[in-house]
Amino acid sequence: MDKDLRIKSHVFDDARRAPNRAMLRAVGVTDEDFKKPMIGVASTWSEVTPCNIHIDDLARSAKKGALDAGAVPLIFNTITVSDGISMGTSGMRYSLPSRDVIADSIETVVGAENLDGFVAIGGCDKNIPGCMIAISRAEVPAVFVYGGTIAPGYRNGEKLDIVSVFEGVGKHNNGDITDQELHGIECQACPGAGSCGGMYTANTMATAVEAMGMSLPGSSSNPAESKEKTEDCRKAGEAAYKLLEAGIYPKDIMTKEAFENAITVVMALGGSTNAVLHLLAIAHSIDVDLTIDDFNRIQQKVPHLADLKPSGKYVMEDLHKIGGVPAVMKLLLDAGYLHGDCLTVTGKTLAENLADAPQLQEGQKIILPFDKPYRSTGPLVILKGNLAPSGAVAKVSGVKVKRHTGPARVFDTEEEATNAVVNNEINEGDVLVIRYVGPKGGPGMPEMLSISAILVGKGLGQKVALLTDGRFSGGTHGLVVGHIAPEAQVGGPIAFLQEGDLVTIDSELKEITMEISEEEYDERRKNWQAPPLYTKGILGKYAHNVSCSSKGAVTDYFNN
């Protein structure tokens, strides 16, 4: 090599490191290899979810790309859990903490093994932000690769995905479909490998990472089971080596402007509410001053253009066929919505990457024109008021109701609230509140897709408002507000709501308020006691360390 590209692995050169080298020789490293940079491949392969079932093969493709480029590639693994499988159960409490376990474990291996760079491959929802937090912390050149979207299922000529099944449960409970019909939807919804197909959290975060410049062009919309996805991984291995050659680090790419590009594309495509939580956490890890208020600033000027599920008709595979995320980004760049001078993992700027990107396919109906958008402003809205002084997140795509006032129906667990819904105890106009399910209170800030989908399936999606200090899945749609902060567990105002209190949600004014007097509020607060924090295992560690959701629910904010 013309120059030494090793950032950390040079520590193995010294005679005192003979024992360390001996260990590496056992895994195939030779004398010649010790002169080369060591590039890790962080794989989230697992058999516990279709999102990740194929990533073992993808990791080997990334390894080949790094090897052919001139590196010593080493595959290692980390965990994944499936939101779709754990949804509506006590297992959902582990979903958000898994993001931090993934980040910590990748950072640990990269640091302990003195790797010079790495490729991280993620599939399911928390893999992507987990990998990106690790990339932010590790301080070596790195590339992220998305495992890709699942193909849609089909039944009676209708496209299906996992949300079709969740909403089918509501239809079944309402008596609108039979046991046999629900079983048919269940069996056809998930036909193979890949992450959930709509603009849900995995596809949202993959898109955000590409817009940020941390993955290769087109990789966020290339399907899981495709030649393009295999090639994404091989090229990512090469790209990691080229970043070492060029001396380009994540901090050079992940600037405030890059995060603004990510938020812009998420708004235009109608992404998941989880993007707010995860982008704040990633920004915190890379020391970028991103706040929850930045989302409203960008939301005001970026139109929602995409007719994608959950509120629209199409899935990510459909977007891929008409030009993919690069075609959308090219459209946005040409219209002045993106910072084109941001550096990316190709070593080129965003504008240079998009110069040769395809235009959107002529006649396509997925991405609407700027003069006839789905909405004139973005669909992710930050609400504030006396119910959420630190903010709450609403997704208003497809929601016709701009203002809703109704009596609070208050539940301290998701199970109690769900039972009330399926037993027809929740009425049109109600404000269904699920609290003590925030980052600390859950613990783990579980998602409420199960109950929100049942409401939609029962025809109540825009007739009952659903509020929580927990989260919603990217597959959730309807009149829902999550991430209410401060959470109930720490004495946020949501803890003091009582049955029948009037609550107002106004998406145009960006307000969420409860109608009780200051005197009554103070009286309720005096009589309130915080429930004991969970203390056992990973959930106990998480509950005691996690920050407010308005700061990204990060776990290295001590005393915050």
Side-chain angles (χ1 to χ4, degrees):
M1 292 187 299
D2 294 330
K3 65 176 182 177
D4 192 345
L5 302 183
R6 297 174 299 164
I7 296 171
K8 294 187 175 183
S9 65
H10 61 77
V11 300
F12 299 120
D13 291 350
D14 194 281
R16 292 172 297 174
R17 298 290 174 254
N20 313 65
R21 292 194 298 273
M23 295 285 286
L24 284 166
R25 290 182 191 280
V27 300
V29 181
T30 66
D31 279 341
E32 190 63 29
D33 289 336
F34 281 114
K35 302 173 186 176
K36 302 174 183 178
M38 294 184 181
I39 291 180
V41 178
S43 169
T44 55
W45 172 78
S46 176
E47 292 182 335
V48 302
T49 170
C51 308
N52 297 64
I53 190 68
H54 61 307
I55 287 179
D56 193 30
D57 288 337
L58 296 182
R60 296 180 194 283
S61 295
K63 178 177 180 177
K64 186 177 188 309
L67 181 67
D68 290 347
V72 177
L74 302 165
I75 296 175
F76 63 94
N77 284 80
T78 185
I79 67 156
T80 186
V81 298
S82 168
D83 290 4
I85 294 170
S86 62
M87 194 72 66
T89 75
S90 61
M92 175 41 72
R93 297 180 300 165
Y94 290 89
S95 168
L96 188 56
S98 80
R99 180 190 75 180
D100 295 77
V101 174
I102 292 164
D104 292 349
S105 62
I106 294 174
E107 179 192 353
T108 298
V109 174
V110 172
E113 296 288 326
N114 293 289
L115 299 176
D116 300 300
F118 66 103
V119 175
I121 309 174
C124 205
D125 293 9
K126 304 310 172 294
N127 301 174
I128 303 170
C131 287
M132 290 304 300
I133 291 169
I135 285 172
S136 301
R137 293 177 186 163
E139 298 181 340
V140 296
V143 180
F144 176 77
V145 188
Y146 178 40
T149 186
I150 194 172
Y154 288 89
R155 185 171 185 271
N156 300 328
E158 179 187 356
K159 284 185 179 179
L160 301 174
D161 61 16
I162 188 62
V163 177
S164 307
V165 193
F166 278 107
E167 293 180 0
V169 173
K171 293 176 182 178
H172 179 265
N173 176 256
N174 219 35
D176 296 331
I177 61 173
T178 64
D179 290 351
Q180 185 178 5
E181 287 172 316
L182 179 60
H183 185 257
I185 295 169
E186 172 190 335
C187 292
Q188 300 298 323
C190 301
S195 300
C196 299
M199 190 45 61
Y200 309 146
T201 301
N203 282 326
T204 295
M205 290 309 302
T207 299
V209 173
E210 181 174 333
M212 197 185 300
M214 285 302 299
S215 61
L216 296 174
S219 59
S220 65
S221 46
N222 287 337
E225 296 180 302
S226 68
K227 292 180 180 178
E228 293 99 324
K229 184 51 59 186
T230 300
E231 188 66 2
D232 285 341
C233 293
R234 187 191 67 77
K235 287 182 177 178
E238 289 181 351
Y241 186 87
K242 290 177 180 177
L243 289 172
L244 285 169
E245 287 185 312
I248 297 174
Y249 288 71
K251 65 182 180 181
D252 301 318
I253 298 171
M254 297 166 67
T255 62
K256 178 68 175 281
E257 290 74 19
F259 278 93
E260 290 178 346
N261 284 344
I263 296 169
T264 295
V265 177
V266 167
M267 290 288 181
L269 290 178
S272 166
T273 53
N274 282 311
V276 177
L277 195 73
H278 297 324
L279 288 172
L280 287 171
I282 297 166
H284 167 74
S285 296
I286 201 75
D287 295 324
V288 167
D289 183 22
L290 187 74
T291 73
I292 199 167
D293 295 320
D294 287 312
F295 288 82
N296 266 353
R297 174 173 57 82
I298 296 170
Q299 181 267 345
Q300 278 293 102
K301 61 182 182 181
V302 177
H304 178 196
L305 302 176
D307 190 11
L308 292 169
K309 288 188 172 187
S311 54
K313 302 176 187 175
Y314 300 98
V315 295
M316 185 60 103
E317 186 179 78
D318 297 319
L319 182 61
H320 165 71
K321 291 175 181 177
I322 64 162
V325 169
V328 176
M329 289 175 61
K330 188 182 185 82
L331 183 75
L332 292 168
L333 178 68
D334 291 345
Y337 287 100
L338 297 177
H339 302 287
D341 57 351
C342 288
L343 187 62
T344 74
V345 290
T346 66
K348 300 177 181 179
T349 66
L350 187 75
E352 288 172 331
N353 286 344
L354 294 176
D356 297 326
Q359 300 283 352
L360 285 168
Q361 188 180 94
E362 190 173 347
Q364 62 81 29
K365 297 180 181 179
I366 301 171
I367 304 299
L368 305 181
F370 287 110
D371 59 349
K372 293 182 181 178
Y374 211 56
R375 278 177 50 91
S376 61
T377 56
L380 298 182
V381 178
I382 307 301
L383 309 177
K384 290 188 176 182
N386 67 354
L387 187 53
S390 298
V393 184
K395 184 174 180 180
V396 297
S397 53
V399 178
K400 297 178 181 178
V401 180
K402 308 297 183 187
R403 180 183 174 91
H404 179 98
T405 298
R409 305 295 308 278
V410 183
F411 298 89
D412 291 346
T413 70
E414 181 186 4
E415 183 178 9
E416 291 172 332
T418 302
N419 288 338
V421 172
V422 298
N423 291 331
N424 299 316
E425 296 169 8
I426 302 300
N427 304 309
E428 290 185 19
D430 284 348
V431 176
L432 180 59
V433 178
I434 306 174
R435 64 187 179 187
Y436 293 104
V437 289
K440 289 180 176 292
M445 205 179 179
E447 292 179 347
M448 303 291 151
L449 174 60
S450 181
I451 187 169
S452 68
I454 291 172
L455 286 169
V456 171
K458 290 173 73 68
L460 296 173
Q462 297 196 44
K463 298 174 182 177
V464 169
L466 176 56
L467 275 55
T468 181
D469 53 6
R471 296 183 296 129
F472 289 107
S473 162
T476 294
H477 61 109
L479 190 55
V480 299
V481 180
H483 306 206
I484 290 177
E487 62 175 294
Q489 179 68 43
V490 300
I494 191 174
F496 312 126
L497 264 180
Q498 292 183 3
E499 190 83 5
D501 288 342
L502 287 180
V503 174
T504 297
I505 305 107
D506 193 315
S507 62
E508 292 190 320
L509 294 177
K510 297 183 173 63
E511 291 181 349
I512 180 167
T513 56
M514 54 183 182
E515 296 182 28
I516 62 172
S517 68
E518 289 186 19
E519 293 78 13
E520 175 65 18
Y521 180 86
D522 290 340
E523 188 64 29
R524 293 180 189 180
R525 184 167 56 183
K526 286 178 187 176
N527 297 321
W528 176 82
Q529 284 190 329
L533 276 180
Y534 200 88
T535 59
K536 187 176 180 181
I538 178 64
L539 293 180
K541 294 174 188 175
Y542 190 83
H544 282 79
N545 286 298
V546 69
S547 77
C548 180
S549 60
S550 64
K551 295 182 178 180
V554 297
T555 52
D556 52 358
Y557 252 112
F558 300 105
N559 299 317
N560 278 281

